[in-house]
Amino acid sequence: MAIRSIIKFGDPTLKKKSRAVEKFDDRLATLLDDMKDTMYASEGVGLAAVQVGVLKRVVVIDIGSGPMELVNPEIIEQKGEQKTPEGCLSLPGESYMTSRPMEVKIKAQNREGKWVIYKGTELLAKAFCHEIDHLDGILYTAHRIDWEED
Ligand code: ZN
């Protein structure tokens, strides 16, 4: 297990599309373990492999209820809307209001290649969207909205 360095906004790698994982081997397990170490060391709630310079469709998320390992994740359903502040480990110190779905259902493979369905609301829904966007080279600033007073 090791902490990898996180690439920052401005690095062209962040705009690249990641490739699907086809081999569920020891290298994938090491990547997932390192990504969790890196996420916890940076006190983030999610990290995509592209952020450590690996263009594979691999994500880790922990919103405080334990780690999730998502390989080849895809959104299969989304509902509602939430407007909340959002940040990213690749844009340290920044936070902008974004518009995201309130409820998101995804499917993803685990480190053994088994497909699992996950459902998230609020912060978890936002994390699913944020991290899956990274796999397509999209940063959260693409969903930025201006603050609206109630
Ligand atoms: Zn991010």
Side-chain angles (χ1 to χ4, degrees), residues 18-125:
S18 296
R19 289 179 298 272
V21 171
E22 284 163 6
K23 280 189 204 158
F24 295 82
D25 56 8
D26 288 350
R27 281 188 70 182
L28 175 66
T30 302
L31 175 64
L32 282 161
D33 290 339
D34 287 358
M35 284 172 62
K36 282 189 285 185
D37 285 351
T38 307
M39 171 178 69
Y40 291 130
S42 314
E43 294 177 3
V45 297
L47 188 73
V50 59
Q51 292 178 279
V52 294
V54 178
L55 288 166
K56 286 185 182 171
R57 301 186 81 81
V58 176
V59 161
V60 294
I61 290 175
D62 189 342
I63 59 156
S65 47
M68 302 175 80
E69 300 177 348
L70 309 174
V71 180
N72 298 326
E74 280 174 49
I75 292 173
I76 51 177
E77 218 175 281
Q78 47 183 296
K79 268 191 246 170
E81 189 189 19
Q82 55 177 323
K83 294 176 182 177
T84 57
E86 189 165 333
C88 177
L89 292 175
S90 291
L91 289 84
E94 306 270 359
S95 173
Y96 298 109
M97 290 294 289
T98 59
S99 168
R100 295 288 195 181
M102 181 55 106
E103 271 183 62
V104 174
K105 197 195 266 187
I106 66 161
K107 62 171 188 175
Q109 283 167 287
N110 65 14
R111 62 168 69 199
E112 278 91 41
K114 184 179 180 284
W115 286 98
V116 184
I117 304 272
Y118 298 97
K119 207 171 158 184
T121 58
E122 299 180 46
L123 179 57
L124 185 55

